[in-house]
Amino acid sequence: MNKGCFITFEGTEGCGKSTQIKLLDEHLRALGHRVRLLREPGGTLIGEEIRHTLKHSHNNAAMTAEAELLLMNASRAQLVREIIRPALAAGEIVVSDRFYDSTTAYQGFGRELDLDQVKAVIDFAVGEVRPNLTLLLHVPADVSAERLRSRQSTLPFVRDRIEEADRKFFERVAHGFGVIAANEPQRVKFINGAQSMAAVCAEIWKIIQPLLPKVGRW
Ligand code: Z5A
């Protein structure tokens, strides 16, 4: 049985996941918890190579939606077995920037692959590993676009195949996240990510803090 707990962050691009994960990590470590931060796709050496293929490789323009689905889950299968399972067994708090809800939202709703087939691939990749809690940060599309624009203006341009999709794709993804949250309200907590960083952080902490005494007994 797992002794640790598994928290995932989800949402559309620029919703503030990485920012909030960093703040949560600081909070948890200050209280003496052992924390493991991960990201998807990626998080292992093999997964980071797959991430490069999915996002930045010069040769990825012709990638099909089916290949994208399988590569996301190849990265995930490695991450689950190499890192997540052992970390949970050791009692760590595992925090991942995206997990399988992103596959449902992006490859299922966004790419419009069959949702039952998407679920079957996810189930094969993760086995019994499920998040205890998922924080879904919601920001309207214009807020997300403005944040990404201002971040890009400070960084050198790096092509990202997934970001090349059209507006309708991202609208379907956002809708998909809404459906996921509605279907699993116990696990998936909806957070208004358009508030100030401090306000979002406080809302997240209000959800996580009561769970902490249970760490070690999950
Ligand atoms: N993907 C998939 O298709 N299927 C899958 O199964 C999985 C993933 C697992 C991963 O991209 C891509 O893979 C992603 C989904 C797909 N594709 N897209 N498009 P990634 O890892 O490179 O990036 P991301 O996950 O989309 O996240 P992001 O763009 O880096 O954003 P974020 O982490 O959510 O936000 P942030 O970096 O914390 O904040 C963005 C900016 O906003 C930054 O400048 C912050 O300083 C600022 N910010 C953050 N919070 C606030 C608030 N509250 N107010 C004002 N400004 C803020």
Side-chain angles (χ1 to χ4, degrees), residues 10-18 55 97-98 102 105-106 136-149 151-152 160 162-167 169-171 173-174 177 193:
E10 297 281 3
T12 51
E13 329 30 74
C15 65
K17 294 177 281 83
S18 316
K55 285 166 64 83
D97 190 337
R98 299 194 181 280
S102 283
Y106 283 83
L136 173 60
L137 272 56
H138 172 76
V139 292
D142 56 333
V143 173
S144 161
E146 180 45 41
R147 284 187 191 170
L148 294 182
R149 246 194 314 276
R151 185 175 62 183
Q152 272 152 17
D160 183 331
I162 300 171
E163 286 176 10
E164 290 168 352
D166 62 17
R167 191 174 51 84
F169 169 83
F170 289 103
E171 286 172 6
V173 170
F177 277 125

Short mmCIF file of all heavy atoms in Angstrom, two decimals, residues 10-18 55 97-98 102 105-106 136-149 151-152 160 162-167 169-171 173-174 177 193:
data_model
loop_
_atom_site.label_atom_id
_atom_site.label_comp_id
_atom_site.label_asym_id
_atom_site.label_seq_id
_atom_site.Cartn_x
_atom_site.Cartn_y
_atom_site.Cartn_z
N GLU A 10 -3.10 20.45 -13.24
CA GLU A 10 -3.56 20.40 -14.63
C GLU A 10 -4.11 21.76 -15.05
O GLU A 10 -4.41 22.62 -14.21
CB GLU A 10 -4.66 19.34 -14.79
CG GLU A 10 -4.23 17.91 -14.49
CD GLU A 10 -3.47 17.24 -15.63
OE1 GLU A 10 -3.22 17.90 -16.66
OE2 GLU A 10 -3.14 16.05 -15.50
N GLY A 11 -4.28 21.92 -16.35
CA GLY A 11 -4.87 23.15 -16.88
C GLY A 11 -4.28 23.48 -18.24
O GLY A 11 -3.35 22.81 -18.71
N THR A 12 -4.81 24.51 -18.87
CA THR A 12 -4.30 24.91 -20.18
C THR A 12 -2.97 25.66 -20.01
O THR A 12 -2.60 26.04 -18.89
CB THR A 12 -5.33 25.80 -20.91
OG1 THR A 12 -5.72 26.84 -20.01
CG2 THR A 12 -6.57 25.01 -21.31
N GLU A 13 -2.27 25.91 -21.12
CA GLU A 13 -0.95 26.54 -21.04
C GLU A 13 -1.05 27.90 -20.35
O GLU A 13 -2.01 28.65 -20.55
CB GLU A 13 -0.30 26.81 -22.40
CG GLU A 13 -0.53 25.94 -23.59
CD GLU A 13 -1.82 25.24 -23.72
OE1 GLU A 13 -2.85 25.85 -24.03
OE2 GLU A 13 -1.80 24.03 -23.50
N GLY A 14 -0.03 28.21 -19.57
CA GLY A 14 0.03 29.52 -18.92
C GLY A 14 -0.95 29.67 -17.77
O GLY A 14 -1.13 30.78 -17.26
N CYS A 15 -1.53 28.58 -17.30
CA CYS A 15 -2.51 28.71 -16.20
C CYS A 15 -1.82 28.93 -14.86
O CYS A 15 -2.48 29.24 -13.86
CB CYS A 15 -3.44 27.49 -16.15
SG CYS A 15 -2.58 25.97 -15.74
N GLY A 16 -0.51 28.74 -14.82
CA GLY A 16 0.23 29.02 -13.58
C GLY A 16 0.66 27.79 -12.81
O GLY A 16 1.06 27.91 -11.64
N LYS A 17 0.62 26.62 -13.43
CA LYS A 17 0.97 25.37 -12.72
C LYS A 17 2.38 25.43 -12.15
O LYS A 17 2.59 25.17 -10.97
CB LYS A 17 0.89 24.16 -13.67
CG LYS A 17 -0.48 23.82 -14.18
CD LYS A 17 -0.42 22.65 -15.15
CE LYS A 17 0.02 23.05 -16.53
NZ LYS A 17 1.42 23.17 -16.80
N SER A 18 3.35 25.73 -13.02
CA SER A 18 4.76 25.68 -12.57
C SER A 18 4.99 26.65 -11.42
O SER A 18 5.69 26.33 -10.45
CB SER A 18 5.71 26.03 -13.71
OG SER A 18 5.32 25.39 -14.88
N LYS A 55 7.79 17.70 -28.69
CA LYS A 55 7.65 19.16 -28.74
C LYS A 55 8.61 19.83 -29.72
O LYS A 55 8.18 20.67 -30.53
CB LYS A 55 7.89 19.74 -27.33
CG LYS A 55 6.71 19.51 -26.39
CD LYS A 55 7.06 19.76 -24.94
CE LYS A 55 7.42 21.18 -24.63
NZ LYS A 55 6.28 22.07 -24.39
N ASP A 97 3.57 18.10 -12.59
CA ASP A 97 3.06 19.12 -13.50
C ASP A 97 2.50 18.38 -14.71
O ASP A 97 3.26 17.99 -15.59
CB ASP A 97 4.23 20.05 -13.89
CG ASP A 97 3.77 21.29 -14.63
OD1 ASP A 97 2.69 21.26 -15.23
OD2 ASP A 97 4.53 22.28 -14.62
N ARG A 98 1.21 18.11 -14.69
CA ARG A 98 0.43 17.33 -15.65
C ARG A 98 0.57 15.83 -15.39
O ARG A 98 1.62 15.34 -14.97
CB ARG A 98 0.83 17.60 -17.11
CG ARG A 98 0.62 19.05 -17.55
CD ARG A 98 0.69 19.17 -19.07
NE ARG A 98 0.52 20.54 -19.50
CZ ARG A 98 -0.67 21.16 -19.62
NH1 ARG A 98 -1.75 20.51 -19.33
NH2 ARG A 98 -0.74 22.40 -20.03
N SER A 102 -4.23 15.34 -18.70
CA SER A 102 -3.79 16.09 -19.89
C SER A 102 -3.97 15.25 -21.15
O SER A 102 -4.30 15.79 -22.21
CB SER A 102 -2.32 16.50 -19.77
OG SER A 102 -2.19 17.59 -18.89
N ALA A 105 -7.60 15.42 -22.00
CA ALA A 105 -7.98 16.75 -22.52
C ALA A 105 -7.36 17.03 -23.89
O ALA A 105 -8.06 17.48 -24.81
CB ALA A 105 -7.57 17.83 -21.51
N TYR A 106 -6.05 16.78 -24.05
CA TYR A 106 -5.35 17.17 -25.30
C TYR A 106 -5.53 16.14 -26.42
O TYR A 106 -5.85 16.51 -27.54
CB TYR A 106 -3.85 17.38 -25.04
CG TYR A 106 -3.55 18.69 -24.35
CD1 TYR A 106 -3.65 18.83 -22.97
CD2 TYR A 106 -3.16 19.81 -25.08
CE1 TYR A 106 -3.38 20.03 -22.34
CE2 TYR A 106 -2.88 21.02 -24.47
CZ TYR A 106 -3.01 21.13 -23.10
OH TYR A 106 -2.76 22.33 -22.49
N LEU A 136 -6.94 21.66 -10.70
CA LEU A 136 -7.16 22.12 -12.07
C LEU A 136 -7.22 23.65 -12.06
O LEU A 136 -8.18 24.24 -11.56
CB LEU A 136 -8.46 21.53 -12.62
CG LEU A 136 -8.92 22.04 -13.98
CD1 LEU A 136 -7.88 21.75 -15.06
CD2 LEU A 136 -10.25 21.39 -14.35
N LEU A 137 -6.16 24.27 -12.58
CA LEU A 137 -6.11 25.73 -12.60
C LEU A 137 -6.79 26.22 -13.89
O LEU A 137 -6.35 25.89 -14.99
CB LEU A 137 -4.66 26.22 -12.57
CG LEU A 137 -4.04 26.40 -11.17
CD1 LEU A 137 -4.12 25.14 -10.35
CD2 LEU A 137 -2.61 26.89 -11.29
N HIS A 138 -7.84 27.00 -13.70
CA HIS A 138 -8.56 27.50 -14.88
C HIS A 138 -8.25 28.97 -15.11
O HIS A 138 -8.37 29.78 -14.20
CB HIS A 138 -10.07 27.32 -14.69
CG HIS A 138 -10.85 27.97 -15.78
ND1 HIS A 138 -10.95 27.43 -17.04
CD2 HIS A 138 -11.51 29.15 -15.81
CE1 HIS A 138 -11.66 28.24 -17.80
NE2 HIS A 138 -12.02 29.29 -17.08
N VAL A 139 -7.84 29.30 -16.34
CA VAL A 139 -7.74 30.72 -16.73
C VAL A 139 -8.43 30.89 -18.08
O VAL A 139 -8.35 30.00 -18.93
CB VAL A 139 -6.27 31.23 -16.84
CG1 VAL A 139 -5.59 31.29 -15.50
CG2 VAL A 139 -5.46 30.41 -17.82
N PRO A 140 -9.11 32.01 -18.29
CA PRO A 140 -9.71 32.25 -19.61
C PRO A 140 -8.62 32.29 -20.68
O PRO A 140 -7.47 32.63 -20.39
CB PRO A 140 -10.38 33.63 -19.46
CG PRO A 140 -10.46 33.89 -18.00
CD PRO A 140 -9.36 33.11 -17.35
N ALA A 141 -9.02 31.98 -21.94
CA ALA A 141 -8.04 31.88 -23.03
C ALA A 141 -7.25 33.18 -23.23
O ALA A 141 -6.05 33.13 -23.51
CB ALA A 141 -8.78 31.51 -24.32
N ASP A 142 -7.90 34.34 -23.05
CA ASP A 142 -7.16 35.59 -23.29
C ASP A 142 -6.10 35.83 -22.21
O ASP A 142 -5.01 36.33 -22.48
CB ASP A 142 -8.12 36.79 -23.42
CG ASP A 142 -9.02 36.94 -22.21
OD1 ASP A 142 -9.30 35.93 -21.54
OD2 ASP A 142 -9.44 38.08 -21.92
N VAL A 143 -6.37 35.40 -20.98
CA VAL A 143 -5.38 35.54 -19.90
C VAL A 143 -4.19 34.62 -20.19
O VAL A 143 -3.02 35.03 -20.09
CB VAL A 143 -6.00 35.18 -18.52
CG1 VAL A 143 -4.95 35.16 -17.42
CG2 VAL A 143 -7.11 36.16 -18.18
N SER A 144 -4.50 33.40 -20.60
CA SER A 144 -3.45 32.44 -20.92
C SER A 144 -2.57 32.98 -22.06
O SER A 144 -1.34 32.97 -21.96
CB SER A 144 -4.13 31.13 -21.31
OG SER A 144 -3.29 30.31 -22.03
N ALA A 145 -3.21 33.50 -23.11
CA ALA A 145 -2.46 34.01 -24.27
C ALA A 145 -1.57 35.19 -23.86
O ALA A 145 -0.41 35.27 -24.27
CB ALA A 145 -3.43 34.42 -25.37
N GLU A 146 -2.10 36.08 -23.04
CA GLU A 146 -1.34 37.25 -22.62
C GLU A 146 -0.13 36.84 -21.76
O GLU A 146 0.98 37.34 -21.94
CB GLU A 146 -2.27 38.21 -21.84
CG GLU A 146 -1.61 39.48 -21.33
CD GLU A 146 -0.72 40.17 -22.36
OE1 GLU A 146 -1.11 40.22 -23.55
OE2 GLU A 146 0.38 40.64 -21.99
N ARG A 147 -0.33 35.87 -20.87
CA ARG A 147 0.79 35.40 -20.03
C ARG A 147 1.88 34.77 -20.89
O ARG A 147 3.06 34.99 -20.67
CB ARG A 147 0.30 34.38 -19.01
CG ARG A 147 -0.45 35.01 -17.87
CD ARG A 147 -0.74 33.96 -16.82
NE ARG A 147 -1.67 34.44 -15.82
CZ ARG A 147 -2.23 33.68 -14.91
NH1 ARG A 147 -1.98 32.38 -14.89
NH2 ARG A 147 -3.05 34.19 -14.02
N LEU A 148 1.45 33.96 -21.88
CA LEU A 148 2.45 33.30 -22.72
C LEU A 148 3.20 34.32 -23.57
O LEU A 148 4.41 34.22 -23.73
CB LEU A 148 1.79 32.24 -23.62
CG LEU A 148 1.18 31.05 -22.85
CD1 LEU A 148 0.57 30.04 -23.80
CD2 LEU A 148 2.23 30.37 -21.96
N ARG A 149 2.46 35.34 -24.06
CA ARG A 149 3.11 36.39 -24.85
C ARG A 149 4.17 37.10 -24.01
O ARG A 149 5.29 37.31 -24.45
CB ARG A 149 2.07 37.42 -25.32
CG ARG A 149 1.87 37.42 -26.84
CD ARG A 149 1.11 38.65 -27.31
NE ARG A 149 -0.07 38.99 -26.54
CZ ARG A 149 -1.28 38.44 -26.72
NH1 ARG A 149 -1.46 37.55 -27.68
NH2 ARG A 149 -2.30 38.81 -25.98
N ARG A 151 5.70 36.03 -21.34
CA ARG A 151 6.83 35.16 -21.01
C ARG A 151 7.75 34.99 -22.22
O ARG A 151 8.96 35.05 -22.10
CB ARG A 151 6.30 33.79 -20.55
CG ARG A 151 7.41 32.86 -20.07
CD ARG A 151 6.91 31.56 -19.51
NE ARG A 151 6.19 30.76 -20.49
CZ ARG A 151 5.61 29.60 -20.22
NH1 ARG A 151 5.63 29.12 -19.01
NH2 ARG A 151 4.99 28.93 -21.17
N GLN A 152 7.13 34.79 -23.42
CA GLN A 152 7.93 34.59 -24.62
C GLN A 152 8.81 35.80 -24.93
O GLN A 152 9.91 35.65 -25.46
CB GLN A 152 7.03 34.29 -25.84
CG GLN A 152 6.72 32.80 -25.97
CD GLN A 152 5.39 32.54 -26.65
OE1 GLN A 152 4.84 33.44 -27.29
NE2 GLN A 152 4.87 31.33 -26.53
N ASP A 160 7.56 24.86 -30.66
CA ASP A 160 6.88 23.81 -29.91
C ASP A 160 5.71 23.32 -30.76
O ASP A 160 4.75 24.06 -30.99
CB ASP A 160 6.38 24.40 -28.57
CG ASP A 160 5.72 23.35 -27.69
OD1 ASP A 160 5.15 22.37 -28.23
OD2 ASP A 160 5.75 23.51 -26.46
N ILE A 162 3.24 21.32 -30.28
CA ILE A 162 1.88 21.28 -29.71
C ILE A 162 1.26 22.67 -29.71
O ILE A 162 0.07 22.84 -29.98
CB ILE A 162 1.90 20.65 -28.31
CG1 ILE A 162 2.46 19.22 -28.39
CG2 ILE A 162 0.49 20.62 -27.70
CD1 ILE A 162 2.73 18.55 -27.08
N GLU A 163 2.08 23.67 -29.45
CA GLU A 163 1.54 25.05 -29.43
C GLU A 163 1.15 25.55 -30.81
O GLU A 163 0.54 26.61 -30.95
CB GLU A 163 2.57 26.00 -28.78
CG GLU A 163 2.63 25.81 -27.28
CD GLU A 163 3.70 26.66 -26.61
OE1 GLU A 163 4.28 27.53 -27.27
OE2 GLU A 163 3.96 26.40 -25.41
N GLU A 164 1.52 24.79 -31.87
CA GLU A 164 1.17 25.22 -33.22
C GLU A 164 -0.28 24.88 -33.60
O GLU A 164 -0.75 25.27 -34.67
CB GLU A 164 2.12 24.57 -34.25
CG GLU A 164 3.54 25.15 -34.13
CD GLU A 164 4.58 24.34 -34.92
OE1 GLU A 164 4.24 23.25 -35.43
OE2 GLU A 164 5.73 24.81 -34.98
N ALA A 165 -0.98 24.16 -32.73
CA ALA A 165 -2.38 23.81 -33.02
C ALA A 165 -3.24 25.07 -33.07
O ALA A 165 -2.87 26.11 -32.53
CB ALA A 165 -2.89 22.85 -31.94
N ASP A 166 -4.42 24.96 -33.70
CA ASP A 166 -5.25 26.16 -33.87
C ASP A 166 -6.10 26.45 -32.62
O ASP A 166 -6.15 25.65 -31.67
CB ASP A 166 -6.11 26.06 -35.14
CG ASP A 166 -7.07 24.88 -35.07
OD1 ASP A 166 -7.32 24.36 -33.96
OD2 ASP A 166 -7.59 24.47 -36.13
N ARG A 167 -6.79 27.61 -32.65
CA ARG A 167 -7.55 28.07 -31.49
C ARG A 167 -8.64 27.08 -31.09
O ARG A 167 -8.88 26.83 -29.91
CB ARG A 167 -8.18 29.44 -31.84
CG ARG A 167 -8.79 30.17 -30.67
CD ARG A 167 -9.24 31.56 -31.08
NE ARG A 167 -10.09 31.56 -32.27
CZ ARG A 167 -11.40 31.33 -32.26
NH1 ARG A 167 -12.03 31.13 -31.14
NH2 ARG A 167 -12.10 31.32 -33.39
N PHE A 169 -8.64 23.90 -31.32
CA PHE A 169 -8.04 22.79 -30.57
C PHE A 169 -7.96 23.16 -29.08
O PHE A 169 -8.38 22.38 -28.22
CB PHE A 169 -6.64 22.50 -31.13
CG PHE A 169 -5.81 21.56 -30.28
CD1 PHE A 169 -5.96 20.18 -30.38
CD2 PHE A 169 -4.86 22.06 -29.38
CE1 PHE A 169 -5.20 19.32 -29.59
CE2 PHE A 169 -4.10 21.21 -28.59
CZ PHE A 169 -4.27 19.84 -28.70
N PHE A 170 -7.45 24.35 -28.79
CA PHE A 170 -7.29 24.75 -27.39
C PHE A 170 -8.64 24.97 -26.71
O PHE A 170 -8.78 24.75 -25.50
CB PHE A 170 -6.37 25.96 -27.28
CG PHE A 170 -4.93 25.61 -27.61
CD1 PHE A 170 -4.38 25.95 -28.83
CD2 PHE A 170 -4.17 24.87 -26.71
CE1 PHE A 170 -3.08 25.58 -29.15
CE2 PHE A 170 -2.87 24.50 -27.03
CZ PHE A 170 -2.32 24.86 -28.24
N GLU A 171 -9.65 25.37 -27.49
CA GLU A 171 -11.00 25.48 -26.91
C GLU A 171 -11.53 24.10 -26.54
O GLU A 171 -12.15 23.92 -25.48
CB GLU A 171 -11.95 26.14 -27.91
CG GLU A 171 -11.71 27.64 -28.04
CD GLU A 171 -12.51 28.29 -29.18
OE1 GLU A 171 -13.35 27.61 -29.82
OE2 GLU A 171 -12.26 29.47 -29.44
N VAL A 173 -9.68 21.54 -25.74
CA VAL A 173 -8.89 21.10 -24.57
C VAL A 173 -9.49 21.69 -23.29
O VAL A 173 -9.71 20.98 -22.30
CB VAL A 173 -7.41 21.53 -24.72
CG1 VAL A 173 -6.65 21.30 -23.41
CG2 VAL A 173 -6.75 20.77 -25.86
N ALA A 174 -9.77 23.00 -23.32
CA ALA A 174 -10.32 23.66 -22.12
C ALA A 174 -11.67 23.04 -21.76
O ALA A 174 -11.95 22.78 -20.58
CB ALA A 174 -10.47 25.16 -22.39
N PHE A 177 -11.07 19.68 -20.02
CA PHE A 177 -10.73 19.79 -18.59
C PHE A 177 -11.99 20.03 -17.75
O PHE A 177 -12.13 19.49 -16.65
CB PHE A 177 -9.72 20.92 -18.36
CG PHE A 177 -8.28 20.50 -18.61
CD1 PHE A 177 -7.49 21.20 -19.51
CD2 PHE A 177 -7.73 19.42 -17.93
CE1 PHE A 177 -6.16 20.83 -19.73
CE2 PHE A 177 -6.41 19.04 -18.14
CZ PHE A 177 -5.63 19.76 -19.05
N GLY A 193 -7.44 30.27 -11.60
CA GLY A 193 -6.03 30.61 -11.79
C GLY A 193 -5.80 32.04 -12.25
O GLY A 193 -4.66 32.47 -12.39
#
